[in-house]
């Protein structure tokens, strides 16, 4: 790991230079709803003490809609045409640890036997500049899922805000080191007197013991705990879509006209009634509580069983965003407190 | 408030209702929906400035087993929705016991502090602080400072735009849409068993969150709500992307008022605009 | 231009024959348009594929033809939803897409040297047909072979031509039945629900593997019959036709408990089925 200092001004300069080099530069939108592609280097805002954006930056490695291929039909024949535009170099500025960590978690399912190159190529071509997090609220629980507000997990370069307004930049991966090397005039050497980090609030106290919860989940699929749990859930997809690790998707064909169209991969959500509905009309998860049970189990049991990782980074977006106050950390905490 | 809790306990004890949908304290500064089934549950019911949710969404949506009548704690705007639901035959009037509350303003979203800038837009022009319909009324009216009517200002801003500017404005807004359907799920009047976007033979409305798909979805929802939406603002509140979709519905309401003199949910005895047949309709194709 | 391997891209196939099995079930015979793909293609009985109707979407069916007969692939389907209805409107010569094979397969190696009983109902015969034909093509490697198949009515029987073939094989016991009320005056087969007929045929569970597929209710009532006949849970095998979409273990749709039907299935034995939550 190499360490450098980068000034606040240089961050914007660097962003500007990257734009000139043809990179996609992504940072938090001013209104805090999402991460967006910025048009000018000065638009890059770093927000270590601010609330996480409503929508995670998952869009940039797993877009909400993605063309898988185009097709052209003629008489009885069909031609399949590959999509373009993959592999655009991107730099994302200022993802908090609960966002940066998601890439490694998602890489597991997207490379399970079959390699989803749409995902892999995007990750390969993206440099993640993570940011130490100073935000705390009742919905944060990164420490309960093995992360922390200072974790560089998933970042290529990790920034720590310093008292004088500069940032300490640590290269976490080879990609990060190469990136800094290629833009080294923006980075200064580290020096002891410039190196005082801004004091951060204490890390959130652990809300639950994920390992203990998993043991309960292993043998309590039919427990009455689940009854009525989803009664107040509205069954929208907000929690899944804002989540940095939710990845269920739908594949549909969309026609442009009678002879051509595309096949597209769109975000989907297990909370929708139609998600598991069979063509015969049979729906294995016909009640919202069943669907909600699936969400908790997938994140805290099935994914760990299969890939040894929890499908959650504790960012709290789902709970903050839910219009009716469904809070997954409260529910998992309730499981931990059972018996 | 004591009056609310006592009323609720009484209803549950007498068996008049099998459960009451209300609010309970949640977090430092908020409430969340809550179903009270017992007197002990009823103790947890609250009503304050943080009860912005429109609970009538649970009348149709929830998988809550029903054996008997249900009770609901509702503000004037929520009761306008309940009125519409009764008029549209979604629930019989005698099956829902309405505990109306005198409302002194609500925050824009759960968890916000009660102060002028945080007051919900619908409260700026509210005419139903004492609900128009109820079985019992609790609470007292108190003055509160109304917020700047930014929603009406935005509508006027858009009305002043040229068609090209308006199109550009909505394109930009709808591009943000992620098709989470929170707007649809939070809306009490969106109760179709199978929403038009979920029908795929043929796929009337594209499911993809592209410009085209998003535009189709949001416009079709506004059209399906025209003449019905009461302006509770839940759709705008729950949208994670901050799209002001509710103003499409408010605008359609303004048109209903202007062209038909109809305001949804104000009077349970009057016929609804799109749910009734009127021989004096202007358009002759419908006679 | 994309230069990645696109796991979502299907190969093109041509419909070379369409057989109307019943009023709402068809069998398609498909051949890859690229002869190289056709030559090098292989799969095992029990695996499924994703069939594309470009412009309508993809749907999931098992490959109904056996891997011992590779001149073409077959699939059978009922026109129930958007894509299958579009398929039912297609003609010989039209182009479709095919992705696969995916999933696991019937444990044919473990079945060798044993007796095999095939039990199917309605369109459930389609996923079982591939393994029946696979076994019959290697007949000498198995002991007794019994087929019990039933449908609602005579009209609803699929693969009628094959049922005749199998009935005429001296070393195969084939019993076909229709539900009470589904028989015609000319019907010479059995009349009764599949579980009842299995009980009547009473194949012994000793050293026997049962492969069963059909409507959930048929399976539910057949399991206890098999148990009574001495079948071990490990030797009762079924294929789960859950709702699947990507076939690649990514989209999450077929996730049931700890398993993904498209990766850990669709073939399961009863021991494994009993560990699954009731969500399929």
């Amino acid at each position: 790991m190499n360490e450098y200092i980068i000034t606040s001004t240089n961050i914007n300069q660097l962003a500007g230079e990257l734009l000139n080099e043809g990179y996609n530069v992504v940072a938090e939108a001013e209104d805090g709803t999402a991460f967006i592609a910025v048009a000018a280097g000065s638009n890059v805002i770093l927000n270590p003490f601010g609330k996480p954006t409503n929508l995670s930056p998952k869009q940039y490695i797993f877009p909400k809609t993605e063309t898988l291929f185009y097709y052209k039909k003629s008489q009885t024949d069909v031609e399949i045409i590959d999509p373009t535009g993959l592999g655009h170099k991107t730099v994302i500025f200022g993802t908090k640890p609960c966002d940066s960590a998601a890439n490694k978690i998602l890489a597991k399912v997207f490379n399970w036997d079959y390699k989803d190159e749409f995902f892999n190529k995007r990750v390969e071509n993206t440099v993640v500049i993570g940011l130490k997090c100073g935000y705390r609220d009742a919905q944060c629980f990164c420490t309960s899922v093995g992360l922390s507000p200072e974790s560089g997990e998933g970042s290529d370069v990790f920034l720590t805000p310093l008292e004088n307004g500069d940032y300490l930049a640590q290269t976490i991966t080879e990609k990060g080191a190469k990136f800094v090397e290629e833009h080294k005039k923006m980075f200064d050497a580290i020096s002891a007197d410039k190196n005082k980090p801004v004091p951060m609030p204490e890390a959130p106290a652990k809300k639950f013991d994920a390992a203990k919860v998993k043991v309960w989940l292993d043998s309590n699929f039919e427990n009455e705990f689940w009854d009525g749990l989803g009664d107040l859930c509205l069954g929208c997809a907000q929690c899944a879509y804002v989540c940095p690790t939710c990845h269920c998707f739908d594949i549909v064909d969309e026609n442009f006209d009678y002879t051509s169209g595309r096949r597209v991969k769109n975000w989907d959500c297990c909370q929708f009634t139609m998600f598991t509905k069979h063509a015969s009309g049979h729906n294995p998860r016909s009640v919202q509580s069943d669907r909600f049970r699936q969400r908790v189990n997938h994140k805290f049991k099935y994914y760990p069983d299969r890939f040894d990782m929890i499908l959650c980074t504790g960012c709290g977006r789902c709970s903050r965003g839910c219009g009716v106050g469904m809070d997954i950390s409260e529910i998992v905490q309730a499981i931990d407190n059972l018996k | 408030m004591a009056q609310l809790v006592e009323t609720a306990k009484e209803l549950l004890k007498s068996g008049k209702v099998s459960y009451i949908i209300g609010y309970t304290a949640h977090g430092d500064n908020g409430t969340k929906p809550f179903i009270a089934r017992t007197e002990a549950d009823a103790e947890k019911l609250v009503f304050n400035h943080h009860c912005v949710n429109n609970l009538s969404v649970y009348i149709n949506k929830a998988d809550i087993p029903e054996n008997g009548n249900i009770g609901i704690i509702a503000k004037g705007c929520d009761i306008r929705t309940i009125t519409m639901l009764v008029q549209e035959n979604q629930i019989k009037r005698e099956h829902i016991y309405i505990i109306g509350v005198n409302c002194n303003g609500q925050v824009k979203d759960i968890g916000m502090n009660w102060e002028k800038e945080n007051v919900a837009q619908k409260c700026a022009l509210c005419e139903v602080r004492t609900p128009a319909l109820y079985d019992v009324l609790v609470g007292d009216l108190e003055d509160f400072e109304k917020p700047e009517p930014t929603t009406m200002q935005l509508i006027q801003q858009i009305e002043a735009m040229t068609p090209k500017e308006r199109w550009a404005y909505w394109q930009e807004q709808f591009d943000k849409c992620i098709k989470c359907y929170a707007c649809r799920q939070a809306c009490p009047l969106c109760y179709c068993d199978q929403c038009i976007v979920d029908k795929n033979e043929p796929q009337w409305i594209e499911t993809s969150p592209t410009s085209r798909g998003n535009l189709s979805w949001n416009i079709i929802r506004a059209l399906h709500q025209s003449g019905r939406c009461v302006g509770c603002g839940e759709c705008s509140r729950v949208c994670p992307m901050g799209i002001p979709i509710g103003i499409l519905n408010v605008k359609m309401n303004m048109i209903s008022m202007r062209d038909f003199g109809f305001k949804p949910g104000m009077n349970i005895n009057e016929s609804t605009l799109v749910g009734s047949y009127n021989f004096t309709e202007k358009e002759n194709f419908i006679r | 231009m994309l230069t990645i391997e696109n796991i979502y891209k299907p190969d093109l196939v041509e419909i070379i024959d369409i057989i109307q099995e019943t009023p709402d079930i068809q069998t398609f015979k498909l051949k890859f348009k690229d002869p190289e793909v056709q030559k090098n293609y292989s799969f095992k009985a029990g695996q499924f594929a994703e069939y594309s109707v470009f412009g309508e979407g993809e749907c999931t069916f098992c490959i109904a033809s056996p891997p011992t007969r590779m001149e073409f692939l077959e699939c059978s389907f009922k026109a129930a939803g958007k894509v299958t209805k579009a398929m039912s409107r297609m003609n010989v010569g039209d182009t479709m897409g095919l992705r696969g094979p995916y999933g696991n397969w019937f444990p044919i190696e473990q079945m060798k040297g044993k007796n095999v009983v095939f039990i199917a109902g309605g369109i459930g015969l389609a996923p079982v047909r591939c393994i029946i034909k696979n076994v019959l093509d290697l007949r000498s490697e198995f002991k007794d072979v019994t087929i019990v198949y039933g449908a609602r009515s005579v009209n609803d029987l699929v693969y009628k031509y094959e049922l005749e073939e199998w009935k005429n094989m001296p070393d195969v016991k084939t019993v076909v039945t229709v539900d009470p009320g589904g028989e015609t005056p000319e019907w010479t087969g059995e009349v009764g629900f599949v579980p009842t007929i299995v009980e009547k045929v009473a194949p012994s569970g000793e050293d026997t593997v049962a492969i069963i597929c059909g409507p959930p209710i048929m399976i539910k009532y057949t399991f206890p019959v098999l148990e009574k006949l001495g079948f071990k849970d490990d030797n009762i095998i079924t294929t789960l036709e859950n709702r699947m979409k990507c076939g690649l273990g990514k989209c999450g749709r077929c996730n049931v408990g700890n398993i993904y039907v498209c990766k850990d299935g669709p073939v399961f034995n009863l021991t494994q089925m009993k560990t699954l939550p009731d969500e399929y």
Side-chain angles (χ1 to χ4, degrees):
Chain A
M1 190 208 294
N2 302 330
E3 294 191 330
Y4 306 87
I5 302 283
I6 181 165
T7 64
S8 192
T9 320
N10 274 2
I11 296 227
N12 295 103
Q13 288 268 70
L14 170 63
E17 205 176 276
L18 291 168
L19 282 168
N20 287 338
E21 290 173 25
Y23 276 85
N24 231 2
V25 174
V26 174
E28 284 195 15
E30 226 181 326
D31 63 4
T33 49
F35 276 78
I36 54 165
V38 301
S42 51
N43 292 349
V44 169
I45 322 163
L46 290 180
N47 208 359
F49 291 94
K51 198 166 69 139
T53 50
N54 291 7
L55 194 70
S56 77
K58 170 173 78 175
Q59 275 243 71
Y60 293 95
I61 50 159
F62 175 42
K64 61 184 182 180
T65 179
E66 172 140 53
T67 304
L68 295 172
F69 57 81
Y70 299 94
Y71 50 81
K72 256 207 202 93
K73 299 190 279 193
S74 58
Q75 288 286 44
T76 55
D77 208 353
V78 175
E79 189 196 339
I80 299 181
I81 304 153
D82 286 323
T84 54
L86 208 62
H88 198 144
K89 295 181 303 180
T90 305
V91 180
I92 308 186
F93 280 88
T95 48
K96 296 192 165 69
C98 51
D99 284 336
S100 326
N103 291 7
K104 280 196 176 174
I105 300 175
L106 285 176
K108 296 270 177 171
V109 70
F110 281 114
N111 285 289
W112 180 19
D113 288 349
Y114 302 98
K115 297 190 181 331
D116 184 331
E117 292 297 331
F118 292 94
F119 175 85
N120 287 339
K121 269 287 170 316
R122 281 177 199 277
V123 171
E124 198 182 297
N125 286 296
T126 302
V127 174
V128 177
I129 301 183
L131 181 64
K132 188 163 161 183
C133 176
Y135 179 79
R136 310 280 182 267
D137 73 7
Q139 278 77 38
C140 290
F141 61 100
C142 61
T143 46
S144 309
V145 290
L147 287 173
S148 88
E150 343 181 300
S151 169
E153 184 75 15
S155 298
D156 294 303
V157 179
F158 189 68
L159 300 178
T160 299
L162 301 174
E163 286 202 314
N164 65 355
D166 296 342
Y167 293 86
L168 173 69
Q170 296 167 306
T171 58
I172 309 285
T173 61
E174 252 182 65
K175 193 200 289 182
K178 182 157 174 272
F179 174 76
V180 171
E181 184 59 34
E182 283 168 1
H183 300 93
K184 57 174 182 244
K185 51 183 221 294
M186 297 292 173
F187 294 85
D188 304 319
I190 191 171
S191 74
D193 61 329
K194 278 190 181 181
N195 200 3
K196 273 191 83 181
V198 174
M200 296 278 177
E202 245 183 78
K206 264 177 91 165
K207 275 186 162 187
F208 53 82
D209 179 345
K212 186 165 156 239
V213 167
K214 179 163 175 327
V215 168
W216 186 90
L217 290 174
D218 281 340
S219 44
N220 281 287
F221 190 80
E222 294 292 347
N223 195 298
E224 64 188 13
F225 175 86
W226 303 112
D227 293 342
L229 194 66
D231 280 350
L232 296 171
C233 167
L234 296 177
C236 68
Q238 174 158 195
C239 52
Y241 289 5
V242 301
C243 172
T245 56
C246 272
H247 56 268
C248 286
F249 58 87
D250 191 16
I251 301 178
V252 288
D253 282 7
E254 263 172 24
N255 293 314
F256 302 144
D257 51 42
Y258 288 117
T259 57
S260 66
R262 64 178 190 144
R263 181 161 294 166
V264 61
K265 188 208 243 186
N266 296 325
W267 287 353
D268 206 345
C269 176
C270 57
Q271 301 304 296
F272 284 140
T273 314
M274 305 277 287
F275 190 71
T276 46
K277 193 168 181 190
H278 295 186
S280 63
H282 170 58
N283 191 346
R285 293 187 199 126
S286 55
V287 172
Q288 198 66 47
S289 296
D290 289 348
R291 299 192 277 272
F292 203 82
R293 171 176 59 185
Q294 164 66 12
R295 184 174 163 72
V296 178
N297 271 312
H298 195 185
K299 287 185 167 294
F300 292 94
K301 172 180 157 57
Y302 306 152
Y303 210 83
D305 275 341
R306 178 78 57 177
F307 301 116
D308 261 318
M309 292 183 106
I310 300 177
L311 190 63
C312 175
T313 57
C315 69
R317 282 186 173 88
C318 53
S319 315
R320 264 178 231 115
C322 179
V324 294
M326 303 289 292
D327 186 330
I328 203 170
S329 70
E330 276 180 9
I331 289 164
V332 177
Q333 196 175 34
I335 292 176
D336 198 11
N337 292 336
L338 283 176
K339 72 174 183 253
Chain B
M1 30 149 79
Q3 196 192 3
L4 178 67
V5 171
E6 284 316 304
T7 311
K9 277 166 126 171
E10 196 45 56
L11 280 170
L12 289 165
K13 195 162 83 169
S14 65
K16 214 167 182 170
V17 297
S18 38
Y19 59 79
I20 298 177
I21 311 170
Y23 307 88
T24 192
H26 184 229
D28 283 335
N29 209 5
T31 68
K32 69 172 186 174
F34 175 67
I35 297 173
R37 293 177 207 275
T38 62
E39 286 180 71
D41 284 344
E43 291 278 347
K44 301 192 196 139
L45 291 168
V46 299
F47 190 81
N48 52 41
H49 295 295
H50 303 277
C51 298
V52 62
N53 291 55
N54 184 343
L55 299 176
S56 57
V57 70
Y58 293 110
I59 292 174
N60 261 318
K61 208 143 289 178
D63 296 318
I64 303 166
E66 201 186 305
N67 48 7
N69 302 335
I70 62 176
I72 188 167
I73 294 168
K75 326 182 275 293
C77 43
D78 307 338
I79 290 172
R80 281 181 65 190
T81 323
I82 300 175
T83 306
M84 282 301 292
L85 287 170
V86 170
Q87 289 174 311
E88 291 185 352
N89 297 314
Q90 295 307 301
I91 188 162
K92 287 205 162 63
R93 176 68 185 94
E94 57 266 26
H95 285 171
I96 181 158
Y97 192 94
I98 305 174
I99 304 173
V101 274
N102 271 319
C103 177
N104 300 315
Q106 295 297 324
V107 287
K108 266 191 264 191
D109 205 352
I110 308 174
M112 286 183 158
N113 287 332
W114 173 244
E115 43 198 56
K116 182 178 170 193
E117 312 87 75
N118 290 343
V119 177
Q121 274 299 296
K122 59 181 172 179
C123 303
L125 307 161
C126 176
E127 300 171 324
V128 285
R129 291 189 50 206
T130 298
L133 179 76
Y134 50 80
D135 289 301
V136 68
L137 183 67
V138 299
D140 301 308
L141 281 177
E142 273 163 25
D143 280 328
F144 66 93
E145 226 185 329
K146 303 282 165 47
E148 283 299 304
T150 49
T151 296
M152 284 317 295
Q153 287 165 355
L154 178 59
I155 292 181
Q156 280 152 10
Q157 229 183 322
I158 299 174
E159 279 173 338
M161 290 181 187
T162 64
K164 204 167 169 190
E165 285 168 337
R166 265 188 230 180
W167 184 247
Y169 174 81
W170 285 112
Q171 284 276 78
E172 191 192 323
Q173 291 302 320
F174 291 145
D175 272 355
K176 301 189 229 169
C177 176
I178 55 176
K179 290 283 191 78
C180 66
Y181 299 120
C183 49
R184 174 186 78 178
Q185 299 298 118
C187 175
L189 289 172
C190 257
Y191 53 71
C192 287
D193 274 340
Q194 201 181 15
C195 178
I196 194 165
V197 290
D198 290 334
K199 292 190 209 252
N200 68 352
E201 295 183 60
Q203 189 73 47
W204 299 105
I205 310 284
E206 263 175 22
T207 54
S208 299
T210 53
S211 294
R212 194 169 78 171
N214 294 344
L215 195 79
S216 328
W217 161 243
N218 285 291
I219 288 183
I220 201 94
R221 205 183 89 82
L223 283 171
H224 284 181
Q225 290 292 326
S226 300
R228 303 169 61 232
C229 163
V230 307
C232 73
E234 285 290 84
C235 49
S236 293
R237 180 179 73 85
V238 298
C239 175
M241 306 310 292
I243 302 169
I245 32 175
I247 66 174
L248 285 173
N249 299 321
V250 171
K251 174 70 182 174
M252 294 310 286
N253 269 356
M254 288 160 63
I255 295 175
S256 303
M257 193 60 212
R258 179 194 76 195
D259 291 351
F260 301 99
F262 179 73
K263 208 172 213 171
M266 297 302 284
N267 180 351
I268 201 165
N269 298 313
E270 113 189 287
S271 315
T272 59
L273 179 61
V274 294
S276 58
Y277 190 68
N278 194 338
F279 284 98
T280 61
E281 287 287 341
K282 283 184 196 162
E283 291 296 335
N284 59 12
F285 71 81
I286 206 147
R287 266 185 259 130
Chain C
M1 274 304 290
L2 208 65
T3 51
I4 60 166
E5 191 199 310
N6 189 346
I7 53 177
Y8 301 98
K9 189 161 109 170
D11 287 307
L12 294 174
V13 291
E14 185 183 321
I15 304 176
I16 56 177
D17 199 8
I18 298 179
I19 300 153
Q20 192 77 36
E21 304 281 351
T22 75
D24 55 359
I25 297 177
Q26 288 177 316
T27 297
F28 278 15
K29 273 192 167 65
L30 305 166
K31 203 172 174 112
F32 286 100
K33 292 195 99 153
D34 184 346
E36 276 306 300
V37 176
Q38 181 72 43
K39 205 169 65 165
N40 298 325
Y41 199 75
S42 72
F43 69 97
K44 297 204 177 52
Q47 292 190 297
F48 68 94
E50 294 285 343
Y51 302 80
S52 299
V53 176
F54 294 99
E56 302 287 340
E58 278 183 319
C59 49
T60 312
F61 320 115
C62 57
I63 302 173
S65 52
T68 37
R69 309 206 188 175
M70 284 302 298
E71 311 89 66
F72 43 75
L73 295 178
E74 283 174 307
C75 71
S76 302
F77 64 93
K78 184 191 264 217
K82 178 177 154 95
V83 184
T84 44
K85 284 187 192 158
M87 278 175 78
S88 67
R89 292 192 291 266
M90 294 187 95
N91 301 307
V92 172
D94 283 346
T95 302
M96 285 178 60
L98 190 143
R99 273 198 299 125
Y102 298 127
N104 66 354
W105 48 89
F106 290 109
I108 193 165
E109 293 306 316
Q110 289 90 300
M111 287 155 57
K112 286 183 176 168
K114 299 202 168 90
N115 305 316
V116 191
V117 177
F118 298 102
I119 304 166
I123 195 178
L125 184 55
V128 185
R129 173 189 188 243
C130 61
I131 184 70
I132 293 179
K133 290 182 87 147
N134 199 172
V135 164
L136 295 179
D137 280 346
L138 307 166
R139 183 67 187 88
S140 55
E141 306 199 40
F142 304 88
K143 283 170 44 193
D144 293 340
V145 174
T146 313
I147 302 172
V148 179
Y149 172 59
R152 260 200 320 259
S153 71
V154 177
N155 250 352
D156 290 312
L157 293 165
V158 296
Y159 308 127
K160 296 184 182 63
Y161 41 95
E162 250 145 26
L163 292 171
E164 282 309 306
E165 246 183 71
W166 299 336
K167 271 199 229 155
N168 292 332
M169 289 183 179
D171 53 359
V172 178
K173 185 184 173 114
T174 307
V175 181
V176 185
T177 180
V178 292
D179 288 355
E183 69 268 35
T184 55
E186 311 85 52
W187 180 246
T188 53
E190 293 285 343
V191 175
F193 295 111
V194 167
T196 320
I197 301 300
V198 172
E199 203 162 1
K200 187 171 167 194
V201 170
S204 163
E206 177 97 22
D207 206 30
T208 314
V209 173
I211 296 193
I212 172 170
C213 184
I217 190 156
M218 180 206 99
I219 300 196
K220 182 173 169 198
Y221 283 103
T222 312
F223 279 157
V225 172
L226 293 175
E227 214 183 332
K228 247 190 352 202
L229 292 167
F231 282 81
K232 293 206 210 26
D233 282 359
D234 276 357
N235 287 337
I236 301 176
I237 298 169
T238 185
T239 163
L240 214 57
E241 302 285 295
N242 215 37
R243 183 167 178 184
M244 296 186 253
K245 184 132 271 201
C246 70
L248 305 158
K250 293 170 184 5
C251 75
R253 199 159 296 241
C254 69
N255 172 221
V256 178
N258 253 353
I259 62 109
Y260 277 65
V261 177
C262 68
K263 299 280 286 142
D264 305 296
V267 175
F268 295 103
N269 65 33
L270 190 53
T271 315
Q272 293 165 321
M273 293 283 288
K274 284 187 172 164
T275 64
L276 291 181
D278 189 12
E279 274 194 336
Y280 49 84

